[in-house]
Amino acid sequence: PERRGFSPIFLCAPRPGDEVMRPGPAGKVMLMPEEDPTTDYIMVATGTGIAPFRGFVRRLFAEDTPAAAVYKGEAWLFLGVANSDALLYDDEFQLAKEQNPENFRIDYALSREQENKNGGKMYIQDKVEEYADEIFAKLDNGAHMYFCGLKGMMPGIQDMLAGVCEAKGIDYNEFIKGLKKKGQWHVEVY
C-alpha cells in the first residue's frame, strides 16, 4: 500500500480551483511592534526558527515599508546552528549588515565549530550570555526579545538568564514577569 505524508497530499492532491486550508501557527506572538521606530529588537533563533526573523530583517532593511523608512533602533539577531554551512539566509543577513551597520547586528553560535567560555560547545545561550550586560540594558530601555526555534533551546536560555539575574541581584521570575507584562518577551518554540 502507498503511504503518503501530509506534505505530498497537501501539495500534490488539490486540483486547480480547489480550496486549500493552510494549517499553521496563529496568533500575535511574533508580531513586530512598529509604534516606536527607536525600539531595539533582540532575536534569538535556532535552525529553521530563523524564518520569522528573516521576515523582520526584510521588513526593516530590504523592503520599501513604512517601518523601514523610519527605523532608528537596532535589530540584533542571534542564530544557533551546528555548522557554518547550516546558516540559512546568511547572504541576506550579511547584505543587511553591510548596508545598515548602525541598525543591524548578527552573532552566530556554531556548536560544532566554536567553543564557549568554558571550552564546551557554543550553544545559543552561550552566545547570548557573552552580551548579557548589553542585552539587559537594552531590555531595561524597552527592547523586545524574541525566541523562535526548537523548544529544547529554552531551558538553556532560561537557566542562563536566571544565572545572569542572580549575578546582577535581580529576581529572575519578577524580571521575566515584568517583560511579559510590558509585552517585551515573545516566545514561539516547537
Side-chain angles (χ1 to χ4, degrees):
E2 181 181 355
R3 294 188 66 189
R4 297 179 76 179
F6 175 77
S7 290
I9 291 170
F10 181 76
L11 296 173
C12 300
R15 294 190 173 98
D18 285 355
E19 250 185 66
V20 178
M21 296 297 293
R22 181 180 52 94
K28 298 182 179 182
V29 172
M30 298 304 286
L31 293 181
M32 183 173 60
E34 297 178 352
E35 299 82 25
D36 180 357
T38 64
T39 299
D40 290 331
Y41 304 116
I42 303 164
M43 304 164 282
V44 181
T46 56
T48 58
I50 194 66
F53 303 136
R54 179 188 187 208
F56 281 25
V57 172
R58 290 181 62 83
R59 181 163 180 81
L60 292 172
F61 305 116
E63 297 173 355
D64 184 17
T65 64
V70 298
Y71 188 64
K72 302 291 181 239
E74 182 178 72
W76 191 355
L77 176 62
F78 290 89
L79 174 57
V81 294
N83 303 296
S84 53
D85 62 356
L87 293 170
L88 300 171
Y89 314 117
D90 193 49
D91 55 338
E92 293 178 31
F93 297 137
Q94 292 305 321
L95 182 62
K97 182 179 173 182
E98 179 184 315
Q99 293 177 345
N100 305 277
E102 301 299 316
N103 302 99
F104 183 62
R105 289 169 71 173
I106 186 164
D107 281 283
Y108 302 113
L110 306 172
S111 62
R112 304 291 190 291
E113 296 178 14
Q114 298 172 321
E115 289 186 354
N116 64 25
K117 67 182 179 185
N118 299 319
K121 291 181 179 180
M122 175 67 76
Y123 292 113
I124 195 72
Q125 64 268 22
D126 303 314
K127 184 54 72 173
V128 173
E129 185 178 21
E130 288 181 3
Y131 300 97
D133 289 340
E134 194 172 351
I135 289 170
F136 272 62
K138 286 181 175 294
L139 290 169
D140 286 345
N141 289 320
H144 284 247
M145 193 160 192
Y146 297 84
F147 301 90
C148 190
L150 297 174
K151 65 182 171 186
M153 80 168 160
M154 288 312 293
I157 292 282
Q158 292 166 320
D159 290 346
M160 177 274 296
L161 290 173
V164 172
C165 282
E166 184 179 351
K168 292 179 171 295
I170 299 169
D171 181 293
Y172 169 74
N173 292 322
E174 290 300 314
F175 178 70
I176 298 300
K177 191 166 141 185
L179 292 175
K180 288 177 180 178
K181 184 176 181 180
K182 292 182 271 185
Q184 293 174 252
W185 184 260
H186 312 270
V187 179
E188 183 68 47
V189 293
Y190 41 87

